[in-house]
Amino acid sequence: MGRARKTAAKAPRTREPRDFTHLPERVPPEQMRTVQDVDPGPDPRGGRDTETDFLLRNAGF
């Protein structure tokens, strides 16, 4: 079908890999809480009963 692709030789790495032998200290679960007050999201239905609206639109009245 198609031509065979030629594989190009990969360029040698110019940077040293990162050293991950020393990791940061662990964070205790007690400190993993938010300290901000959070408001609930807006009601996507806007306070309306969407099931009743659907029924009235499609009941054929």
Side-chain angles (χ1 to χ4, degrees), residues 18-24:
R18 290 184 174 178
D19 181 25
F20 291 109
T21 56
H22 301 289
L23 298 175

Side-chain angles (χ1 to χ4, degrees), residues 12-61:
R13 283 190 155 175
T14 57
R15 294 189 307 183
E16 291 288 324
R18 290 184 174 178
D19 181 25
F20 291 109
T21 56
H22 301 289
L23 298 175
E25 293 185 27
R26 290 183 178 251
V27 178
E30 296 83 28
Q31 293 180 355
M32 292 186 182
R33 287 185 252 145
T34 60
V35 293
Q36 303 174 21
D37 291 334
V38 180
D39 295 330
D43 183 14
R45 297 179 181 164
R48 295 178 20 198
D49 184 13
T50 56
E51 293 179 12
T52 303
D53 291 345
F54 176 80
L55 178 70
L56 292 174
R57 271 188 272 123
N58 296 304
F61 290 113

